[in-house]
Amino acid sequence: MALTADELALAEPQTAEESTLEAWHMDDSSEDQRLPHKKEPNEPCSLAKLRELGVLSWKLDADNCENDPKLEAIKKVRSYSYTVSDALLKHWQTHPQHSSRNVCVPPFATTVGLQPSRTP
C-alpha cells in the first residue's frame, strides 16, 4: 500500500499548539465519577505527556465525516478499518436507559472513534 505525501500530511496528528485537549491528574475523591475530579490546585497533564502515552488528536469535519479526506487519510496511514461515529451517539441518546435524562450534545462535541485493523 503506497501512501502519498498528501495522505501522510493529512494524517499527521495535531501539534500541542493546535490541540484543544485538556487533561489533568485526578484527585482521590469517591464522589460522582461524572465530575471532573481535578486536584486543588489543578495539576494539568501536558499534551507532550499525553502524546508520550499514545493519546493523539485530530480536528475533523463532524458534519462531513463520511467524506472527510482527513479521516480517510488517517484510516489509511494508521491502518484503521473500524469507525464509530454518530450512530453510537444517537443510540446512546435514544436508548431507554438514557432517554429519561436531558442530554444535550453540541454538534462540535461529536467524536469519531477509530480502531486499528487486526491482522492475523
Side-chain angles (χ1 to χ4, degrees):
M1 166 179 64
L3 301 172
T4 67
D6 286 343
E7 289 170 329
L8 291 169
L10 280 172
E12 193 63 31
Q14 288 181 305
T15 65
E17 294 78 26
E18 297 170 319
S19 181
T20 58
L21 287 179
E22 180 183 2
W24 55 87
H25 296 274
M26 294 178 64
D27 63 21
D28 295 327
S29 170
S30 60
E31 289 183 61
D32 187 341
Q33 293 181 351
R34 294 171 292 183
L35 297 174
H37 289 280
K38 289 183 179 181
K39 289 185 175 186
E40 290 294 329
N42 186 27
E43 292 181 26
C45 181
S46 72
L47 295 177
K49 180 64 176 175
L50 290 176
R51 185 169 260 195
E52 187 180 306
L53 293 170
V55 176
L56 304 173
S57 67
W58 294 267
K59 184 175 182 178
L60 301 171
D61 181 357
D63 294 329
N64 189 29
C65 66
E66 291 85 13
N67 300 312
D68 188 352
K70 182 180 276 192
L71 178 57
E72 291 306 312
I74 293 166
K75 289 167 60 176
K76 184 175 180 182
V77 169
R78 301 185 68 80
S79 299
Y80 294 151
S81 63
Y82 181 71
T83 304
V84 179
S85 61
D86 289 337
L88 182 62
L89 179 62
K90 287 175 187 164
H91 168 77
W92 188 85
Q93 290 174 320
T94 59
H95 190 276
Q97 181 180 354
H98 306 292
S99 62
S100 62
R101 299 179 188 164
N102 291 327
V103 177
C104 179
V105 180
F108 58 84
T110 303
T111 59
V112 176
L114 302 169
Q115 293 182 342
S117 298
R118 294 179 185 230
T119 51

